[in-house]
Amino acid sequence: MKKVFILGSTGSIGVNCLNVISNLTEYCEVAGLTVNSNTELLLDQINKFNPRFVVVRDDQAARNISGKIPKGCELLVGEEGLIKAAKETDYDIFMGAMVGFAGLAPTIEAVKRGKRITLANKETLVVAGEIVTKLVLENSAEIIPVDSEHSAIYQCLVGENLNEVEKLILTASGGPFREKDKSFFENATVDEALNHPNWEMGSKITIDSATMMNKGLEVIEAHWLFGLPSDKIEVVIHPQSIIHSMVQFVDGSIKAQLGLPDMKLPIQYALTFPERARNDFERTNFSAIGTLTFSEPDLNKFECLKLAYDVLNEGGAAPCILNAANEVAVDKFLNKEIKFSHIPLLINKALDKVETNFSSDLESIFECDRKTREYVQTIT
Ligand code: NAD
Ligand code: MG
């Protein structure tokens, strides 16, 4: 029986993860849960899953909930509580389902303890892929991807030799603006950008899907997970989101992993790997789907995707600056402080202006993240 520690249990991935765990009673149970501030849903989850500890990031929210937590469940608070939980509590699987850079520090602690990391929080690998993958090797930890594209590739690679991979093909739905002109981005509203055609997700990743930064972050994530250079990681637009990604081998053979767009499957796979568990998730009906189509992404229109390839090639501080600038820019767009079309502009400015004495250590990454956020806060 594996004990699972879920970071971000009230989010889209977190809630799906708890649904999966309720049907995996022979495999795993909940050890701990963390949330930012949604303590109402957290209380429901505590009553249903009986975790031994919970972490509430927001101080005020933690004070509100402190008298309501049942005996036998420890409440930890804030960033310190989060790190303490990752470092000291009893769990086997660390489910990284929180959003953004905030996932990095606790993930590092879990890696240092040699845990299984089931990783949805792609930002962690984008900003610190080199450090995290090195620590994984040193501590015999493992990362099983939850992101559907990377789960697909992981599944295609079972029994294969990485040296015989010619390229990875990441599929992308193209998001809500796939068929719009670039000029549309000037006046695209928050509601339009949040209206994703195929996936229901948190607001940050949904905006990232509309700019296609999400696919850019995934290219960088794939680089660190599978060790391939950027010219061997291709993106193809596939609006139906049935093929979750593909691997092409040196003999020209291609393997793909398919299914309905539902995160429960990659979550379950990451929890039970190398086994597969029976479930009653909806099955794919090809006759009902009818057609699968593919096209090349327009890098002139989706500048964020191009920027992600650029920073991957540049290395050093660039991916960290891109990520921090994007997080702040997306926040500003969601708060209606900037236009949709300004998201790549702000990132570009940050890449030009933020100066760091970057050496590939964690302190540098935290410093670079902080400086970039400060700078992007001041521009529009
Ligand atoms: P979400 O916004 O729905 O949920 C985020 C969760 O993280 C919430 O539980 C929130 O309380 C918690 N959280 C936010 N900020 C925090 C902080 N500073 N400290 C502690 N907890 C914090 O996001 P999501 O859509 O579930 O995405 C989570 C991660 O998974 C992201 O990195 C995203 O890119 C990735 N991902 C999501 C999907 C999806 O289908 N939603 C698919 C692939 C990858
Ligand atoms: Mg994805």
Side-chain angles (χ1 to χ4, degrees):
M1 192 62 125
K2 302 285 186 211
K3 301 185 203 86
V4 188
F5 176 21
I6 307 175
L7 285 89
S9 66
T10 52
S12 157
I13 294 285
V15 167
N16 268 315
C17 180
L18 285 170
N19 282 337
V20 168
I21 290 177
S22 358
N23 292 312
L24 281 182
T25 45
E26 284 166 26
Y27 283 86
C28 50
E29 62 188 13
V30 174
L33 302 172
T34 83
V35 306
N36 190 30
S37 61
N38 185 351
T39 46
E40 201 174 316
L41 180 53
L42 176 64
L43 271 179
D44 287 351
Q45 295 178 340
I46 293 174
N47 291 329
K48 182 147 183 229
F49 292 95
N50 291 315
R52 263 148 295 157
F53 61 93
V54 294
V55 186
V56 179
R57 172 69 200 248
D58 183 81
D59 286 349
Q60 183 58 46
R63 276 194 290 278
N64 294 344
I65 200 184
S66 64
K68 300 177 189 155
I69 304 228
K71 280 206 182 70
C73 178
E74 185 187 358
L75 171 66
L76 297 132
V77 181
E79 177 71 19
E80 274 164 47
L82 197 57
I83 300 300
K84 186 169 154 56
K87 253 182 167 161
E88 296 173 13
T89 60
D90 180 21
Y91 62 89
D92 307 296
I93 299 181
F94 175 99
M95 168 61 75
M98 61 210 273
V99 57
F101 183 86
L104 174 61
T107 306
I108 295 268
E109 297 305 334
V111 170
K112 284 187 186 157
R113 291 176 70 190
K115 302 292 184 190
R116 168 175 292 196
I117 316 294
T118 54
L119 194 65
N121 176 239
K122 60 194 83 181
E123 293 90 344
T124 285
L125 283 179
V126 171
V127 299
E130 191 176 345
I131 297 178
V132 173
T133 48
K134 188 159 165 270
L135 282 174
V136 164
L137 281 179
E138 285 171 7
N139 295 284
S140 309
E142 57 178 348
I143 299 184
I144 318 280
V146 167
D147 214 346
S148 56
E149 296 75 3
H150 307 75
S151 174
I153 291 169
Y154 201 90
Q155 293 181 55
C156 292
L157 286 173
V158 169
E160 300 288 353
N161 185 343
L162 261 178
N163 297 328
E164 292 170 356
V165 172
E166 195 164 76
K167 67 176 175 183
L168 306 178
I169 304 166
L170 295 181
T171 53
S173 70
F177 300 153
R178 177 174 55 88
E179 297 201 301
K180 302 283 188 208
D181 276 351
K182 195 173 176 184
S183 59
F184 176 87
F185 291 177
E186 278 305 302
N187 297 311
T189 66
V190 171
D191 286 348
E192 286 166 332
L194 282 177
N195 187 19
H196 196 283
N198 304 352
W199 297 94
E200 274 189 34
M201 311 180 284
S203 53
K204 194 259 176 182
I205 182 176
T206 307
I207 301 301
D208 284 350
S209 300
T211 60
M212 285 197 77
M213 178 57 94
N214 183 49
K215 209 51 53 181
L217 299 178
E218 290 182 357
V219 168
I220 304 176
E221 182 186 11
H223 165 75
W224 290 114
L225 283 171
F226 306 110
L228 288 163
S230 65
D231 61 352
K232 293 189 166 182
I233 308 173
E234 186 179 302
V235 172
V236 67
I237 305 272
H238 166 49
Q240 298 80 17
S241 299
I242 296 296
I243 296 185
H244 296 313
S245 278
M246 304 181 250
V247 179
Q248 180 171 313
F249 296 91
V250 289
D251 59 357
S253 176
I254 297 172
K255 278 186 174 180
Q257 187 266 340
L258 290 75
L260 295 172
D262 181 347
M263 290 306 294
K264 291 205 293 299
L265 184 57
I267 290 170
Q268 173 175 308
Y269 185 79
L271 292 172
T272 64
F273 176 83
E275 288 173 45
R276 288 186 184 271
R278 263 175 227 292
N279 59 38
D280 59 2
F281 304 162
E282 190 184 343
R283 300 306 196 231
T284 311
N285 177 342
F286 283 100
S287 315
I289 293 163
T291 316
L292 299 181
T293 58
F294 307 92
S295 60
E296 207 180 317
D298 179 348
L299 295 189
N300 175 44
K301 176 169 131 187
F302 292 112
E303 289 167 79
C304 288
L305 178 55
K306 166 140 195 332
L307 283 171
Y309 271 106
D310 291 347
V311 300
L312 176 54
N313 292 332
E314 191 180 331
C320 181
I321 295 174
L322 169 115
N323 179 70
N326 182 56
E327 287 191 29
V328 178
V330 168
D331 241 17
K332 286 190 170 206
F333 172 68
L334 285 168
N335 292 325
K336 305 194 169 132
E337 292 165 36
I338 60 166
K339 291 183 178 194
F340 185 79
S341 57
H342 284 196
I343 297 174
L345 293 183
L346 264 55
I347 298 168
N348 251 322
K349 281 189 190 168
L351 287 167
D352 274 354
K353 285 275 161 53
V354 177
E355 304 236 348
T356 61
N357 276 334
F358 194 79
S359 51
S360 308
D361 55 33
L362 264 185
E363 290 83 75
S364 277
I365 287 167
F366 279 95
E367 163 92 352
C368 172
D369 177 76
R370 189 181 53 73
K371 277 192 171 164
T372 306
R373 281 168 201 272
E374 275 173 15
Y375 170 68
V376 182
Q377 284 300 353
T378 64
I379 56 175
T380 50

